[in-house]
């Protein structure tokens, strides 16, 4: 009996170690208290990873989105992202206009974009893990590599990606390992 | 008497195997309940295997147009069904507004859709495997895949 117990314990630990990693979920939560509308969407990232490459419609092909009027003007986005990744945290862009404030910063390995639309009283916060941003910009030319970004998201920790708040609605997009939004 | 017993056992065995085969792909549940007085209440439980088998007997010209439409989206449908089959159970979509509530949940290899509005409640549960077989059957009606 004494010899069986340690063997069982080692087997149990081995099973836990070999267990498949927890499924990661992309959550979208929209709340409109005025219209009493609430939407919750929980997408397993493994599902998105399978479906997105299969879509070849419009601007989405082979897991990449074609950016219509985007011109990099000769700037190598991949090199730009590499350079910014190795640079210290800080605020890179600040635009203050009478009706809009925009701020782009890098903080704790994440790219952060804050937009405040003073007229529409809308506030948008985007936080993208740097590896995800790099994966997104990894396609050639005027494309965003959505599939690579999803694969990078699977490895990223739990984080809120987007929050949008206006007069009547709040939208939140985040990733974690829970299959529910609440 | 012994012969009768053996025949009975043979029938019982056949019935059990047939039941196991028929229910191997799960069951489709459809439940519609109209809330008004004297409203219709439909409750249907059908072995999912029946759907693709039945589709085999539908003349091709009835399914040809649908088949052509489905084939355009077949890679996406295949990827979605396979991805859903592999992902863990859980709620996928939940929409609530002032007087309606709709949910889509993956549960035990099936997609379950529930809608509750002021007029009726609808519950549909479809096994993913049967959905794939049925879609393949419809797609093949539009010509060889």
């Amino acid at each position: 009996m004494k010899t069986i117990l340690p063997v069982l314990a080692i087997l149990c630990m081995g099973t836990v170690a070999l267990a498949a990693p927890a499924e990661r979920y992309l959550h979208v939560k929209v709340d409109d208290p005025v219209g009493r509308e609430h939407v919750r969407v929980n997408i397993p990232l493994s599902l998105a990873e399978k479906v997105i490459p299969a879509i070849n419609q419009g601007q989405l092909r082979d897991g990449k989105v074609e950016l219509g009027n985007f011109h990099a003007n000769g700037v190598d986005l991949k090199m730009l992202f590499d350079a910014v990744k190795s640079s210290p945290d800080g605020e890179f862009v600040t635009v203050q206009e009478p009706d809009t404030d925009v701020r782009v910063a890098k903080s704790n390995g994440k790219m952060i974009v804050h937009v405040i639309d003073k007229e529409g009283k809308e506030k948008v916060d985007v936080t993208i893990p740097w590896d995800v941003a790099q994966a997104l910009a990894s396609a050639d030319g005027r494309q965003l590599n959505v599939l690579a970004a999803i694969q990078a998201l699977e490895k990223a920790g739990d984080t809120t990606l987007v929050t949008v708040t206006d007069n009547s609605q709040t939208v939140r997009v985040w990733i974690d390992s829970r299959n529910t939004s609440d | 008497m012994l012969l009768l017993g053996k025949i009975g056992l043979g029938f019982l065995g056949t019935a059990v195997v047939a039941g196991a085969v028929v229910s191997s792909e799960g069951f489709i549940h459809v439940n519609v309940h109209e809330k008004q007085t004297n409203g219709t209440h439909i409750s249907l439980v059908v072995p999912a295997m029946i759907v693709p088998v039945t589709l085999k007997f539908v003349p091709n010209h009835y399914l040809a147009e649908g088949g052509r439409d489905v084939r355009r989206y077949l890679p996406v449908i295949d990827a979605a069904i396979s991805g859903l089959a592999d992902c863990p159970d859980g709620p996928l979509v939940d929409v609530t507004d002032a007087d309606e509530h709709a949910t889509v949940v993956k549960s035990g290899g099936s997609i379950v859709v529930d809608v509750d509005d002021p007029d009726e409640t609808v519950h549909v549960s479809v096994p993913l495997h049967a959905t794939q077989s049925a879609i393949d059957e419809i797609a093949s009606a539009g010509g060889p895949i």
Side-chain angles (χ1 to χ4, degrees):
Chain A
M1 188 66 180
K2 277 182 183 172
T3 51
I4 289 172
L5 277 176
V7 172
L8 280 175
I10 289 167
L11 275 175
C12 287
M13 283 191 290
T15 310
V16 170
L18 290 171
E23 178 72 66
R24 307 281 292 156
Y25 289 86
L26 178 75
H27 302 278
V28 181
K29 183 175 176 181
V30 182
D31 286 311
D32 177 0
V34 179
R36 289 195 290 160
E37 281 184 352
H38 306 277
V39 178
R40 310 276 183 270
V41 180
N42 312 302
I43 305 165
L45 286 179
S46 64
L47 175 63
E49 211 179 316
K50 280 188 177 174
V51 173
I52 283 173
I55 302 172
N56 284 301
Q57 204 82 30
Q59 286 164 304
L60 179 58
R61 293 192 178 268
D62 301 321
K64 295 173 187 131
V65 173
E66 190 77 36
L67 296 172
N69 296 316
F70 177 77
H71 295 284
N73 291 328
V75 177
D76 187 331
L77 285 179
K78 276 181 266 183
M79 281 184 72
L80 182 70
F81 272 96
D82 282 340
V84 179
K85 187 183 184 182
S86 54
S87 66
D89 286 1
E91 203 156 298
F92 296 119
V93 181
T94 308
V95 179
Q96 288 189 311
E97 290 180 339
D99 55 348
T100 317
D101 286 352
V102 179
R103 191 178 142 242
V104 181
K106 185 194 162 202
S107 172
N108 297 321
K110 289 173 181 168
M111 185 171 84
I112 296 167
V113 181
H114 291 294
V115 181
I116 298 173
D117 176 4
K118 293 168 190 169
E119 282 188 347
K121 290 181 181 167
E122 195 174 80
K123 197 176 142 201
V124 179
D125 289 320
V126 180
T127 306
I128 303 176
W130 206 257
D131 291 338
V132 177
Q134 273 189 304
L136 203 58
S138 65
D140 292 327
R142 294 180 298 175
Q143 289 182 319
L144 290 179
N145 196 339
V146 179
L147 181 61
I150 286 170
Q151 286 163 344
L153 269 178
E154 289 208 52
K155 293 170 199 146
D158 297 358
T159 186
T160 296
L161 299 170
V162 181
T163 55
V164 182
T165 313
D166 69 9
N167 283 337
S168 62
Q169 283 191 334
T170 58
V171 179
R172 184 174 169 233
V173 181
W174 76 100
I175 50 164
D176 64 23
S177 298
R178 298 175 60 203
N179 69 352
T180 57
S181 305
D182 297 313
Chain B
M1 193 64 180
L2 195 64
L3 185 67
L4 274 178
K6 281 180 181 174
I7 291 169
L9 207 60
F11 272 116
L12 186 68
T14 310
V16 168
V17 170
V21 170
V22 165
S23 58
S24 61
E25 289 198 9
F27 291 87
I28 296 170
H29 294 241
V30 179
N31 200 316
V32 180
H33 175 61
E34 290 182 343
K35 290 179 178 173
Q36 70 265 33
T37 321
N38 299 324
T40 313
H41 188 178
I42 301 165
S43 188
L44 205 65
V45 181
V46 182
M49 198 191 184
I50 281 179
V51 177
V53 172
T54 307
L55 284 169
K56 283 190 192 297
F57 295 100
V58 177
N60 261 6
H61 64 270
Y62 287 113
L63 298 174
E65 195 182 333
R68 277 191 294 273
D69 290 342
V70 163
R71 286 167 66 162
R72 286 166 50 204
Y73 303 104
L74 205 54
V76 182
I77 295 169
D78 286 347
I81 290 175
S82 143
L84 280 169
D86 292 343
C87 73
D89 287 1
L92 298 170
V93 180
D94 188 317
V95 181
T96 312
D97 71 8
D99 45 24
E100 274 187 340
H101 183 212
T103 59
V104 181
V105 176
K106 192 221 161 187
S107 172
S110 292
I111 287 294
V112 182
V113 180
D114 280 292
V115 180
D116 185 4
D117 70 17
D119 296 326
E120 60 198 357
T121 57
V122 178
H123 168 89
V124 179
S125 169
V126 186
L128 285 163
H129 194 268
T131 309
Q132 178 77 69
S133 309
I135 286 168
D136 287 346
E137 203 58 52
I138 293 168
S140 66
I145 297 172

